Amino acid sequence: MKEFDMEQENKESLEKSCECSVELKKELKDKEQLLNAIFQVTNVGICVTDESGSFTIVNDAYCKIYGYTREELVGNHFTKIISEENCEDARKAHDKFFNEGFEMGREWSVITKDGRVLNVYSSAALLKQEDGKKYKVTTINDITEFKETHNKLNLVAYALSSANDGIIFTTANPSEILYINEAMVKITGFTLEELEKQPGGFLKTGPEDHSFYADMWAKIEKEGFWQGEIRGRKKNKEEYVAELNLNRITDSDGETTNYVAILNEITEKKKVEKRIQYLATYSSITNLPNRQHFEGTLSKAIKKHENPHGKLATVMVDLDRFKNVNDNYSFAMGNKLLRAVAYRIRNTLKDIATVAYLGEDHFGILLDQVLGMNSVCNVTQKIKQALSEPFIFDNVHISITASIGVSFYRRESKGSEDLISHAEKAIAEAKRLGGDCMQVYTIEMNRKLTRRSQLENDLKTAIKNHELFLVYQPQIELQKEQIIGVEALIRWKHPTLGMVPPDEFIAIAEETGSILPIGQWVIKTAAEQAKKWETMKLPIKKVAVNLSSVQLKHDHICKVIKEILEEVDIKPDSLEIELTESTMMEDIKKSIDIFNSLKQMGLKIAVDDFGTGYSSLSYLRKIPINKLKIDRSFIMDLGSDFEGSVITKTIIHMAKNLGFKVIAEGTETKEQIQYLRENGCDEAQGYYYSKPLLPAELEKFVLSKR
Ligand code: C2E
Ligand code: CA
Ligand code: CA
């Protein structure tokens, strides 16, 4: 508040003017002119109102603020420029001013002639004149723009201080901080004061070296900004990671005025990313790199594999019968074992190889720069050694072996998949050989495996496509040299591969289970053939069929045979079942049961390949056998090899004593036949008499012998 006592001043000036000279009068005149000029030129709106509330004087600025002309205001009541609803208050304020002689400076809003609302700051002073008249001199400042800017700045300040991103403003000197927000405190753990004291320094606490920051500043100076990830240390020495946006601000002349840094901390995000990355590339069961990781490492190794002296090898380890651990104990136990195996393998090879867990019970090992087969063998030997001690978990002892497959990188290898799949093929081969051994992938192995998988696949449709047929090999009674029966032997004429020997495809059929339908087809076809010959009244008393161990294990074998016999309507004793000695001994109890049932049905049973297995005489007595077939290997040696002759003689002797018939297979020469006959062998089968024949050929053979 300011009271401008004009009355007093006028009085004094009058007194003075009495004595003053013309010069002084002139000076006064000049001052008045000056004041008038200021009054009109100033941006501050000034008005003078009398006690009744009428405008007496207004300056240009006042008119401009309100949008009225001087004529529209002077002589009019001040409420002309006040909105209706505020009129009453304004009048009261006016009266109060003249009563009290002052008014507080205040901010308020006014409406202009054209209806705009303005924010103004006004203050007023009382002017008392000599004649006792009082005037109110009001100054008014349009602060609308200022207010808007102020409000905006308030908002910006709020946004800056409550932002999650750290924000720093500096002057043109990046070490001179103008502003730093709260988020920087949160990110770095330093207080605002500490941050201000070490300007920029806290950004350089990370592991990055001097050149990193030099490059950063070079880019900012050149392009005006830098964007990227930085690492720093918090006050508590923990590392943090942040995305930094650093901008250089320039004025219209291009001179740097400020730098603004915005820091978005991503430490947690990075940790989560790292974890996700870990989970995606490591196995949580074994903590070893997973298959994807392994393939990646392998691909990289292949790319940089330029050393012509070193070789790149993949070793795959597949635990034998691991499923039993899961089945006999639990999955948890299985996982424990995998973890322990992983630990042992990694521990053994930690300095020489990358070890990964590829899922299930498979481990992959990458050997970079091995010198050859010897060093690989050395490694596989170490693995075997590492797994040889039993694993002990809470008194449970588990012993495990592994099948190991090895593949070497070749120029023509297509990449990591090739190396892995080759090693897997080698494992399959090791498994086929019974496990607990190592196999190296070769082109020859691949050829065999490819053929195998083709046969495996094509066997499924061989019956339907009529590719299978039977040949029959005569069995001759030696005393009278008469045909008494035949052995049915299967043949497969593959549409593209030609004749595939039974020794090759029967094993595959056994592994894949297709031996069941094939075996059934053999029995039925042989039975039907026997029936035909019976109808033709040919002297073929029986047809022998070979039964695989897989068929024997199958519970329904007796039922299957029974149904075929009934369906074809032949006498059961026209069928003889041939089983190898080893098949019989595999599950002797079950064999005894099945043979008893077959015997009850009236079938005959022959032990094939006799002498090659480990027959127990006591068991032989318990099984209702009709005939022993002396294995071809002994017959081959007859005459030339003393041992073979003795064994043959002994088998014949033993068979007689036990009441079995005895037949020699693979007889090829007259001498063999003679020896067998002399030693009391009942029958013979072999090329000497005939190769296996098609039915029509066999019929001719029989008729020619009559
Ligand atoms: P196996 O049961 O021991 O059959 C005798 C094999 O010796 C037959 O071979 C036969 O052709 C051959 N052979 C016969 N006489 C002579 C001879 O004087 N000298 C020589 N070197 N070989 C002779 P094949 O037909 O190739 O059969 C091989 C094996 O395949 C059979 O041995 C048998 O284990 C299996 N097999 C054949 N047919 C079937 C079948 O229908 N079912 C099952 N499960 N296995 C069968
Ligand atoms: Ca046989
Ligand atoms: Ca045989």
Side-chain angles (χ1 to χ4, degrees):
M1 181 217 61
K2 199 162 81 191
E3 192 170 307
F4 176 41
D5 197 342
M6 207 147 165
E7 192 180 10
Q8 179 63 31
E9 199 163 291
N10 283 347
K11 224 187 238 168
E12 283 166 10
S13 75
L14 257 173
E15 278 164 14
K16 279 179 196 162
S17 72
C18 289
E19 323 147 4
C20 74
S21 62
V22 181
E23 266 159 54
L24 268 173
K25 269 186 189 169
K26 191 178 174 288
E27 197 184 326
L28 263 177
K29 184 86 183 154
D30 287 351
K31 271 189 183 166
E32 192 191 328
Q33 267 177 356
L34 193 67
L35 275 173
N36 250 328
I38 295 172
F39 181 73
Q40 287 311 336
V41 173
T42 177
N43 277 334
V44 180
I46 304 170
C47 75
V48 182
T49 41
D50 61 17
E51 234 172 320
S52 73
S54 287
F55 288 111
T56 53
I57 307 173
V58 290
N59 72 346
D60 285 353
Y62 194 86
C63 293
K64 200 173 162 203
I65 290 172
Y66 283 93
Y68 289 95
T69 60
R70 183 168 288 111
E71 292 69 38
E72 282 173 316
L73 293 177
V74 175
N76 282 305
H77 195 261
F78 77 87
T79 48
K80 182 174 181 174
I81 60 162
I82 307 281
S83 66
E84 233 177 276
E85 66 264 33
N86 290 330
C87 272
E88 198 44 45
D89 288 346
R91 262 184 233 282
K92 279 183 189 159
H94 177 81
D95 294 345
K96 197 171 173 233
F97 174 81
F98 279 97
N99 283 336
E100 294 173 1
F102 74 92
E103 190 180 87
M104 302 282 279
R106 64 187 172 120
E107 254 182 63
W108 51 300
S109 41
V110 297
I111 299 172
T112 62
K113 186 182 175 188
D114 57 4
R116 283 176 298 122
V117 178
L118 299 180
N119 287 304
V120 293
Y121 181 84
S122 73
S123 56
L126 186 71
L127 176 71
K128 274 188 207 159
Q129 280 199 336
E130 224 177 321
D131 55 5
K133 278 186 185 161
K134 291 179 187 168
Y135 294 94
K136 181 182 180 186
V137 180
T138 309
T139 59
I140 190 155
N141 278 299
D142 180 0
I143 56 165
T144 314
E145 239 174 68
F146 169 79
K147 274 291 261 195
E148 272 171 16
T149 315
H150 182 73
N151 285 345
K152 273 185 200 158
L153 281 176
N154 265 347
L155 271 176
V156 171
Y158 178 76
L160 291 181
S161 67
S162 58
N164 282 328
D165 290 351
I167 298 166
I168 309 160
F169 290 101
T170 71
T171 64
N173 170 3
S175 305
E176 219 171 82
I177 291 184
L178 281 177
Y179 173 84
I180 201 158
N181 73 346
E182 276 297 313
M184 277 308 300
V185 175
K186 249 194 248 160
I187 294 172
T188 62
F190 291 108
T191 62
L192 277 177
E193 295 72 43
E194 285 168 329
L195 289 173
E196 277 162 8
K197 259 186 243 153
Q198 47 154 357
F202 56 88
L203 285 181
K204 293 188 194 165
T205 49
E208 264 72 59
D209 66 355
H210 173 74
S211 65
F212 175 86
Y213 297 106
D215 290 349
M216 177 168 117
W217 281 107
K219 183 171 156 63
I220 296 169
E221 290 317 317
K222 191 166 167 232
E223 293 172 34
F225 73 97
W226 186 89
Q227 216 171 18
E229 259 175 37
I230 59 152
R231 288 177 293 171
R233 291 228 171 264
K234 302 191 179 205
K235 193 177 178 182
N236 64 8
K237 303 284 178 241
E238 260 176 42
E239 189 182 288
Y240 69 86
V241 189
E243 281 168 357
L244 173 65
N245 266 288
L246 197 51
N247 285 285
R248 182 165 60 98
I249 299 176
T250 51
D251 60 16
S252 52
D253 299 331
E255 285 299 313
T256 304
T257 55
N258 306 81
Y259 290 98
V260 181
I262 301 177
L263 224 79
N264 174 18
E265 189 187 359
I266 50 168
T267 315
E268 278 311 307
K269 192 175 132 198
K270 281 271 152 182
K271 272 189 200 158
V272 171
E273 270 175 21
K274 236 181 169 173
R275 181 79 194 134
I276 290 173
Q277 175 76 0
Y278 182 85
L279 289 178
T281 51
Y282 276 77
S283 140
S284 55
I285 299 177
T286 59
N287 282 333
L288 288 180
N290 66 10
R291 192 180 179 107
Q292 194 194 338
H293 190 153
F294 185 66
E295 283 173 1
T297 315
L298 202 52
S299 299
K300 274 187 218 147
I302 289 173
K303 273 201 195 111
K304 68 167 198 200
H305 184 70
E306 277 154 6
N307 180 356
H309 305 297
K311 287 186 176 189
L312 185 69
T314 310
V315 177
M316 299 272 241
V317 178
D318 183 320
L319 305 182
D320 297 326
R321 288 167 285 279
F322 173 73
K323 195 175 165 288
N324 289 353
V325 179
N326 278 342
D327 291 350
N328 298 344
Y329 300 100
S330 63
F331 266 125
M333 184 61 93
N335 284 350
K336 268 190 195 176
L337 180 64
L338 288 172
R339 203 168 303 137
V341 168
Y343 177 78
R344 284 198 197 173
I345 298 181
R346 191 174 50 180
N347 219 26
T348 316
L349 306 179
K350 62 176 177 262
D351 299 325
I352 47 173
T354 307
V355 182
Y357 171 66
L358 310 179
E360 294 180 27
D361 53 353
H362 306 171
F363 294 84
I365 294 142
L366 165 63
L367 295 172
D368 209 350
Q369 307 294 325
V370 282
L371 290 175
M373 203 51 219
N374 275 352
S375 19
V376 173
C377 283
N378 203 5
V379 168
T380 57
Q381 199 48 43
K382 277 187 176 156
I383 297 171
K384 270 191 87 152
Q385 184 71 36
L387 302 182
S388 63
E389 287 289 313
F391 292 84
I392 304 166
F393 309 103
D394 307 329
N395 296 329
V396 177
H397 289 228
I398 300 176
S399 292
I400 197 130
T401 58
S403 301
I404 299 176
V406 176
S407 64
F408 283 96
Y409 175 73
R410 273 182 253 271
R411 292 256 169 265
E412 60 275 17
S413 301
K414 284 201 194 79
S416 61
E417 309 92 63
D418 257 17
L419 269 176
I420 292 179
S421 84
H422 290 171
E424 275 169 348
K425 282 180 177 172
I427 283 188
E429 194 56 18
K431 289 263 174 209
R432 232 173 52 77
L433 296 172
D436 195 14
C437 63
M438 186 262 274
Q439 287 289 302
V440 181
Y441 173 87
T442 57
I443 305 270
E444 175 57 18
M445 176 191 284
N446 191 40
R447 204 191 52 73
K448 266 200 228 154
L449 289 170
T450 312
R451 179 176 162 95
R452 230 188 98 80
S453 73
Q454 185 186 359
L455 295 183
E456 191 180 310
N457 196 43
D458 295 348
L459 254 187
K460 291 180 202 145
T461 50
I463 299 181
K464 197 181 89 207
N465 296 343
H466 305 288
E467 290 160 19
L468 299 179
F469 61 95
L470 294 182
V471 287
Y472 301 88
Q473 189 174 33
Q475 296 179 329
I476 308 293
E477 198 279 321
L478 283 177
Q479 292 311 317
K480 295 186 186 155
E481 270 215 334
Q482 275 177 355
I483 179 163
I484 43 126
V486 290
E487 178 183 1
L489 294 159
I490 195 166
R491 295 291 175 261
W492 180 14
K493 187 160 192 265
H494 188 280
T496 55
L497 302 173
M499 295 304 293
V500 182
D503 281 331
E504 185 179 7
F505 75 82
I506 292 291
I508 298 173
E510 283 177 339
E511 274 171 43
T512 58
S514 46
I515 191 68
L516 293 174
I518 291 174
Q520 198 168 330
W521 175 87
V522 169
I523 299 169
K524 179 135 189 257
T525 312
E528 282 167 350
Q529 191 57 57
K531 177 77 184 175
K532 254 189 224 161
W533 287 330
E534 188 192 308
T535 323
M536 289 166 73
K537 301 209 171 6
L538 283 189
I540 300 169
K541 300 265 179 355
K542 59 178 173 44
V543 177
V545 290
N546 294 282
L547 214 65
S548 137
S549 63
V550 178
Q551 286 171 281
L552 195 68
K553 276 185 204 132
H554 205 258
D555 289 339
H556 306 301
I557 186 66
C558 293
K559 190 169 163 257
V560 166
I561 295 176
K562 193 166 180 233
E563 277 170 8
I564 291 174
L565 291 176
E566 281 169 7
E567 196 188 327
V568 180
D569 185 29
I570 55 162
K571 291 194 286 320
D573 66 354
S574 8
L575 212 58
E576 187 170 75
I577 303 295
E578 282 192 16
L579 270 155
T580 64
E581 202 182 353
S582 42
T583 299
M584 280 185 181
M585 295 301 155
E586 242 173 57
D587 183 352
I588 186 73
K589 284 208 178 87
K590 194 165 181 185
S591 298
I592 293 174
D593 285 351
I594 291 176
F595 292 146
N596 279 330
S597 308
L598 292 176
K599 192 191 173 186
Q600 268 171 17
M601 281 160 55
L603 277 99
K604 294 207 168 99
I605 293 152
V607 184
D608 208 350
D609 303 346
F610 190 79
T612 55
Y614 301 95
S615 307
S616 144
L617 278 184
S618 58
Y619 279 129
L620 274 184
R621 292 173 57 153
K622 286 185 194 158
I623 307 177
I625 297 166
N626 298 86
K627 199 194 267 184
L628 296 185
K629 277 189 102 168
I630 307 172
D631 190 67
R632 193 162 67 88
S633 57
F634 303 112
I635 306 303
M636 254 161 44
D637 296 340
L638 282 186
S640 61
D641 180 89
F642 175 73
E643 207 178 319
S645 311
V646 172
I647 292 174
T648 305
K649 210 194 276 183
T650 312
I651 293 175
I652 298 171
H653 194 68
M654 185 186 73
K656 295 277 158 188
N657 281 340
L658 290 167
F660 306 147
K661 287 254 179 226
V662 58
I663 181 168
E665 66 176 349
T667 47
E668 290 183 358
T669 64
K670 200 173 172 181
E671 291 71 34
Q672 289 166 351
I673 298 290
Q674 218 162 346
Y675 183 90
L676 291 164
R677 194 181 277 131
E678 277 166 15
N679 283 284
C681 183
D682 301 303
E683 297 162 18
Q685 176 186 344
Y687 294 171
Y688 177 71
Y689 290 111
S690 169
K691 289 202 165 185
L693 302 168
L694 287 166
E697 296 167 338
L698 185 89
E699 284 153 24
K700 269 191 214 151
F701 174 85
V702 173
L703 293 173
S704 73
K705 288 276 165 187
R706 273 193 166 169

